[in-house]
Structures are given as structure tokens and as C-alpha cells.
Amino acid sequence: MLYALIGEDVPNSLEKRLAVRAEHLARLQALQADGRLILAGPCPAVDSPDPGPAGFTGSVIIAEFPSLAEAEAWAAADPYTLTGVFMRCTVKPFKKVLP
């Protein structure tokens, strides 16, 4: 089943994000290699694809996991969670309708 992982950043998270970004992306690339990643990306803090020093307010990941518990465990083990980039990460079942 698909799950939406919605991470919300702590204030002024940009430096923390950049420090562990490569590890975070490697985990996403592993999901992609397994054919389980639907989409992933950050939410800019300002209305711009490149927010510069304003940074990001969080991230959204839509991916396939065998269960809600496994999706939650994956989110809990993510470098953004472990290093305090995310103040919280909500995991919800997701039903893709379009496209």
C-alpha cells in the first residue's frame, strides 16, 4: 500500500538538512531502485523553487510499504528524523487517484 510521509521541519532547519541530505537522499534512492518511490521533495519556506537561505518547512514522500508500521519505522530511521531536522513526521495511508 502507498503511504504519505509528511515531515515538518524545526525552525531554521537548513543547516541541519544540508548536513545529512546525502544520507536522506540515499534512502530515497534505495526506495526508488526498489520501484517503491512515487514522489519525494521538500516544501520551500518561500514561494520559490530555490528558497535560498529561507530553507524549507518540511518534506513530502509518497512511497509503497508493506504496512503502516513499516512506513512509520522507515520514517523514524530517516536521518532527518534522527538528527532533529523534522520536529514531527506524520505517516498516513495514501490512495492514489490521479494521474
Side-chain angles (χ1 to χ4, degrees), residues 14-74:
L14 187 58
E15 190 173 314
K16 286 182 179 185
R17 269 182 169 269
L18 295 175
V20 294
R21 185 172 186 264
E23 294 172 58
H24 171 74
L25 290 178
R27 294 182 85 235
L28 291 171
Q29 289 164 342
L31 284 178
Q32 184 178 26
D34 289 343
R36 297 168 45 202
L37 183 65
I38 304 303
L39 67 87
C43 302
V46 295
D47 190 15
S48 172
D50 181 3
F56 301 92
T57 61
S59 297
V60 176
I61 299 165
I62 308 290
E64 184 178 346
F65 292 92
S67 68
L68 177 60
E70 290 189 48
E72 290 172 332
W74 190 95

Side-chain angles (χ1 to χ4, degrees), residues 6-10 17 56-59 84-90:
I6 305 159
E8 297 177 57
D9 282 22
V10 298
R17 269 182 169 269
F56 301 92
T57 61
S59 297
V85 173
F86 291 157
M87 67 178 142
R88 84 180 123 265
C89 187
T90 304

